[in-house]
Each structure stands twice: as structure tokens, then as C-alpha cells.
């Protein structure tokens, strides 16, 4: 992806080691994290603890570009929540230039600030479970309309394994569904509604793209960051 190549090439020009590149990228992540924490977190220390426990090592020291992309997407969520469309688009573009999957999050314009009727969420969730078993249809649909974009074809063909996986409903999936419904029934403020709508997108994207393994994890994982901000609100509510 262009920005990653540009930055790494620039540092190689000055004979900088990979550790310097890593430090620059993590610096970008922390910069974006600071902005999102300031906007979304009611308990910054708990949010940071959850972030470092569940996310930091995997996404910033393993799939490095993904972590940078996620941080820019969440900056975009921040500006989407405050109604700043120009900065929302700018951050999505930066996200996509570090990892092409980031461009898919232009869908965030569909994420509402309003609480929808329970029946709406329930029906969408049931349909998503059904679509988990419709891999052939999804494969053909995505290949037709998105094939050839970035690494879409790579994920469509099973990524590293070279084949589609089996349908798998993880403990984490059910935990996220529980967090969503707890939030839905107990949290009423505008911020919480915005965050649990984002979490809901993560749940249904994981279900719909389940058999595409890494692709499902990449997409859903971005939305699941909502937990870093939702969980402290839930703790505060029950406390």
C-alpha cells in the first residue's frame, strides 16, 4: 500500500532499521488512539488496559499495517460522530493508503446515531447467521462486484491456506452479541447507541464473511474496537 511503501522507502534511504519504521507507525497509532479516547472513553485507564490486553501486540507487531489502518478508521468514526464529514473522509483515505481494506469503511456513513427497534437488530442477526452458510453465493457476489480490488481476490481464495474455512461460531462472537444486547437494553445515551451500532456491524460482518477466515477477522476486528469504549460504560452503569 502506497503510504506504507513511501514511509519505509524514505527511512531506508537514510539507512534506518525496521525498528524506526515500527516506532513511526506505532506513533501514528498512539496519536489516533489519543483522539478516539478523548471522544469516546468514559474511563481512559480501563480503555487503555483493554486495548493493550486484547489488541496492541497482534495488530501492531504482527499484522503491522492493519493496526495503523484501524487507528485511522477510528479517527474517522470519531469525526463521523461529531458530524465532520471532511475529516471523516480524509481519515478513511489515510486508512486505505496504509491497508486497502480501510477503503471498505466508507460504509461507516451508514452507521446511525439512532437506536433502532429491537426487531430490526434481531432480524438482521438471524439473516446473518443464515448467510454464514451461503459461502458459494457470497463468493460469487463479492468476486463479481469487488474482485480485483486490493487483496480482495487473495481473501476470496482462502488467503494463506488457499481454501475457504468451515463455518465457525467462536466464544468471542457470542460474547460480543451479549455485550451488544446488554448495551441495547441498558444504555440510552447518544454515544453508547453509536458505539453499539458499530459493534453490531462487527458481529454481522463476522457472520457474513465467516468462511473467508482472515477477511472476516480483518473487517470485524475493526468494528470490535467499540468494546474498548462500551465496556467501561457498562461497568460504570452497573457500578
Amino acid at each position: 500500500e502506497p503510504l506504507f511503501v513511501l514511509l519505509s522507502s524514505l527511512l531506508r534511504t537514510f539507512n534506518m532499521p525496521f525498528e524506526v519504521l515500527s516506532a513511526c507507525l506505532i506513533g501514528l497509532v498512539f496519536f489516533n488512539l489519543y483522539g478516539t479516547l478523548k471522544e469516546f472513553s468514559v474511563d481512559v485507564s480501563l480503555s487503555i488496559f483493554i486495548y493493550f490486553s486484547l489488541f496492541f501486540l497482534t495488530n501492531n507487531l504482527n499484522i503491522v499495517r492493519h493496526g495503523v489502518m484501524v487507528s485511522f478508521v477510528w479517527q474517522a468514526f470519531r469525526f463521523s460522530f461529531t458530524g465532520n464529514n471532511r475529516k471523516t473522509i480524509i481519515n478513511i483515505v489515510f486508512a486505505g493508503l496504509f491497508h486497502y481494506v480501510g477503503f471498505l469503511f466508507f460504509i461507516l456513513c451508514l452507521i446511525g446515531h439512532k437506536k433502532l427497534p429491537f426487531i430490526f437488530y434481531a432480524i438482521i442477526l438471524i439473516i446473518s447467521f443464515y448467510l454464514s452458510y451461503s459461502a458459494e453465493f457470497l463468493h460469487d457476489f463479492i468476486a463479481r462486484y469487488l474482485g480485483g480490488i486490493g487483496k480482495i481476490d487473495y481473501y476470496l481464495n482462502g488467503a494463506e491456506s488457499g481454501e475457504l474455512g468451515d463455518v465457525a461460531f467462536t466464544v468471542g462472537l457470542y460474547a460480543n452479541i451479549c455485550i451488544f444486547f446488554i448495551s441495547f437494553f441498558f444504555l440510552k445515551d447518544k454515544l453508547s447507541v453509536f458505539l453499539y451500532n458499530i459493534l453490531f456491524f462487527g458481529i454481522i460482518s463476522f457472520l457474513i464473511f465467516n468462511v473467508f477466515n482472515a477477511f472476516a477477522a480483518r473487517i470485524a476486528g475493526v468494528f470490535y474496537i467499540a468494546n474498548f469504549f462500551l465496556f467501561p460504560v457498562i461497568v460504570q452503569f452497573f457500578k
Side-chain angles (χ1 to χ4, degrees):
E1 278 80 346
L3 280 182
F4 182 80
V5 171
L6 178 64
L7 180 59
S8 57
S9 298
L10 180 64
L11 292 176
R12 277 201 301 271
T13 301
F14 295 99
N15 296 316
M16 297 289 185
F18 174 77
E19 288 80 2
V20 175
L21 173 62
S22 182
C24 290
L25 295 175
I26 290 174
L28 280 173
V29 171
F30 284 170
F31 174 80
N32 290 329
L33 179 65
Y34 173 78
T36 54
L37 283 169
K38 187 169 64 173
E39 187 68 49
F40 292 139
S41 183
V42 298
D43 186 335
V44 172
S45 59
L46 181 55
S47 292
I48 291 175
F49 176 75
I50 297 171
Y51 171 77
F52 277 99
S53 298
L54 301 179
F55 185 84
F56 177 76
L57 290 177
T58 300
N59 288 276
N60 295 295
L61 299 179
N62 182 18
I63 44 178
V64 177
R65 292 174 298 110
H66 183 75
V68 180
M69 178 270 288
V70 172
S71 73
F72 276 109
V73 168
W74 270 88
Q75 275 283 60
F77 282 137
R78 171 195 175 191
F79 291 116
S80 175
F81 179 69
T82 57
N84 192 326
N85 294 328
R86 183 175 64 86
K87 289 186 177 180
T88 298
I89 293 172
I90 288 172
N91 277 278
I92 288 295
V93 170
F94 271 104
L97 291 176
F98 270 106
H99 197 303
Y100 287 137
V101 169
F103 286 124
L104 297 179
F105 291 93
F106 273 114
I107 196 174
L108 65 82
C109 64
L110 301 176
I111 295 173
H113 298 220
K114 294 182 179 180
K115 182 175 183 176
L116 300 172
F118 173 78
I119 190 66
F120 173 84
Y121 294 106
I123 290 173
I124 295 296
L125 189 60
I126 292 169
I127 291 173
S128 298
F129 269 101
Y130 172 77
L131 289 175
S132 293
Y133 293 96
S134 305
E136 185 175 342
F137 164 77
L138 286 171
H139 184 281
D140 293 343
F141 180 84
I142 297 171
R144 180 176 180 179
Y145 293 103
L146 297 176
I149 299 177
K151 295 177 71 175
I152 298 295
D153 288 331
Y154 169 75
Y155 290 124
L156 283 177
N157 292 296
E160 291 90 347
S161 65
E163 58 184 23
L164 297 181
D166 296 323
V167 177
F169 301 142
T170 64
V171 172
L173 169 66
Y174 293 116
N176 282 308
I177 292 174
C178 287
I179 291 171
F180 167 76
F181 281 115
I182 290 172
S183 301
F184 177 84
F185 287 115
F186 292 102
L187 306 180
K188 311 297 183 182
D189 60 286
K190 181 180 177 181
L191 174 59
S192 296
V193 172
F194 182 73
L195 289 171
Y196 70 59
N197 279 340
I198 291 176
L199 177 61
F200 188 72
F201 265 81
I203 293 167
I204 62 175
S205 61
F206 179 84
L207 287 169
I208 291 172
F209 301 116
N210 195 282
V211 297
F212 298 108
N213 299 326
F215 187 63
R218 296 287 193 277
I219 299 296
V222 177
F223 292 117
Y224 286 167
I225 299 296
N227 283 327
F228 303 164
F229 309 114
L230 266 178
F231 191 73
V233 178
I234 293 171
V235 169
Q236 190 178 78
F237 176 85
F238 284 103
K239 186 169 66 175

